[in-house]
Amino acid sequence: SQQGEEDPQALSIQEGENATMNCSYKTSINNLQWYRQNSGRGLVHLILIRSNEREKHSGRLRVTLDTSKKSSSLLITASRAADTASYFCATVLRGGSNYKLTFGKGTLLTVNP
Amino acid sequence: GAGVSQSPSNKVTEKGKDVELRCDPISGHTALYWYRQSLGQGLEFLIYFQGNSAPDKSGLPSDRFSAERTGGSVSTLTIQRTQQEDSAVYLCASSRRPRGQVGGNEQFFGPGTRLTVL
């Protein structure tokens, strides 16, 4: 079964709005990563947050991690049409192999111009 | 610099035939991964290579699937006697050696090979 589950499955917003995607997972993790996939650039790593971190920023991206709730959120501010893509969370499980990423099924984000 | 490359980009084959998918990782990356992505699904881990260590094959779905990595660089994923359920996009990724438990491993993905088994 999937370790990470993204919510919502699909999200449609207007350019300039913020987009928030959530990820829940079942077992303890060492770190959680967010990836983006679109037809033009394939699957691209966006940001990594460690289990001892609560929030990270990278440009227009903000990621939070709540290990007590086993959840993470990805916020994209001031969205652009080019942000249209599928977004996946992936976890490295605590006590497991430090290389193995377990991906969720993704959130499909559509940013309308 | 050059990213991860995969070939072919598309492969259509008949049920029962064997196929080989190739991956060229980023130069200097010692870790190489294969994933499978079925329509509308996340990525399913298949196999992991790290340097000269024995690969982690725990994600291979059946003994029809095998992979090798020659000279610590190029990797080939082979699927024997293909079945229709093997139809998917096969993605290869590479990274530097994963650091400890918390450090993580940013993986760089190739464009994938879309396999269609008729």
Side-chain angles (χ1 to χ4, degrees):
Chain A
S1 63
Q2 297 286 346
Q3 157 74 342
E5 294 287 343
E6 290 90 344
D7 167 59
Q9 291 186 331
L11 179 62
S12 181
I13 60 175
Q14 295 301 122
E15 210 165 23
E17 294 179 340
N18 296 341
T20 299
M21 288 160 274
N22 303 295
C23 170
S24 59
Y25 55 90
K26 298 183 176 67
T27 58
S28 296
I29 62 170
N30 282 323
N31 68 70
L32 184 145
Q33 304 177 33
W34 284 91
Y35 285 79
R36 178 180 63 204
Q37 185 177 40
N38 60 30
S39 58
R41 292 196 59 196
L43 195 67
V44 175
H45 179 271
L46 295 177
I47 197 165
L48 178 152
I49 187 164
R50 297 179 174 83
S51 58
N52 59 355
E53 297 175 314
R54 292 296 167 258
E55 186 171 313
K56 284 191 81 168
H57 296 253
S58 177
R60 293 183 296 111
L61 305 180
R62 181 172 77 97
V63 170
T64 62
L65 179 65
D66 187 335
T67 53
S68 67
K69 295 181 179 178
K70 292 187 169 59
S71 68
S72 172
S73 67
L74 171 67
L75 168 67
I76 304 174
T77 60
S79 64
R80 305 166 182 169
D83 295 328
T84 294
S86 290
Y87 291 80
F88 296 91
C89 68
T91 54
V92 174
L93 302 184
R94 184 180 300 279
S97 306
N98 68 345
Y99 51 81
K100 189 175 290 187
L101 287 177
T102 305
F103 284 81
K105 295 184 180 180
T107 291
L108 176 60
L109 172 66
T110 302
V111 181
N112 301 299
Chain B
V4 177
S5 61
Q6 293 186 245
S7 62
S9 55
N10 281 285
K11 177 71 177 179
V12 180
T13 190
E14 294 179 346
K15 178 181 174 181
K17 295 283 180 67
D18 298 351
V19 295
E20 283 190 352
L21 312 179
R22 177 188 168 103
C23 171
D24 281 273
I26 292 172
S27 178
H29 280 185
T30 58
L32 187 146
Y33 316 75
W34 282 98
Y35 294 88
R36 177 169 71 175
Q37 185 175 29
S38 303
L39 187 65
Q41 299 293 310
L43 275 71
E44 174 189 10
F45 168 83
L46 296 178
I47 189 169
Y48 164 77
F49 295 91
Q50 170 57 51
N52 295 321
S53 303
D56 176 353
K57 304 179 182 179
S58 61
L60 295 179
S62 78
D63 59 7
R64 296 185 296 104
F65 288 72
S66 63
E68 62 178 24
R69 188 179 186 191
T70 54
S73 181
V74 171
S75 177
T76 302
L77 177 68
T78 300
I79 309 173
Q80 295 178 310
R81 305 180 302 281
T82 53
Q83 304 294 312
Q84 289 182 332
E85 61 262 28
D86 299 334
S87 295
V89 176
Y90 290 82
L91 290 162
C92 174
S94 70
S95 76
R96 295 185 177 88
R97 186 186 184 97
R99 306 184 305 273
Q101 282 292 319
V102 182
N105 57 326
E106 176 186 353
Q107 298 184 19
F108 295 81
F109 283 81
T113 293
R114 182 176 299 278
L115 174 66
T116 303
V117 182
L118 301 176

